[in-house]
Amino acid sequence: MACSIPVLVSNKVNIWREVQSSRTGFVEPDRLNGTRDLIRRFEAPSAPQRAKMSTYARAGFLQYFDN
């Protein structure tokens, strides 16, 4: 997120709520199917959507983690 890159996390990673609420990446359950879904969802957005997610990723990092 700090490098403007959307993240892929399971719902067992402590920051999953921040990732989800700030639309800075994708969150799925901590299961094999969840991991598969993360990869599919990451590959699905168009170039403009990915650019927007990159912007959100940096902004989310600054909002939640840059103390």
Side-chain angles (χ1 to χ4, degrees):
M1 290 171 57
C3 296
S4 300
I5 297 176
V7 296
L8 308 177
V9 297
S10 80
N11 61 354
K12 301 294 183 193
V13 175
N14 197 33
I15 65 167
W16 75 268
R17 288 173 189 85
E18 290 85 355
V19 170
Q20 190 170 50
S21 68
S22 60
R23 300 181 302 189
T24 60
F26 299 105
V27 179
E28 289 289 341
D30 186 24
R31 301 187 312 255
L32 179 59
N33 286 344
T35 302
R36 288 180 185 145
D37 290 343
L38 282 174
I39 294 168
R40 286 185 193 118
R41 291 177 65 200
F42 184 74
E43 294 175 337
S46 66
Q49 290 169 321
R50 286 184 189 170
K52 186 179 274 191
M53 286 185 73
S54 291
T55 302
Y56 289 160
R58 180 67 181 164
F61 168 77
L62 294 173
Q63 178 181 356
Y64 292 109
F65 307 112
D66 187 35
N67 295 330

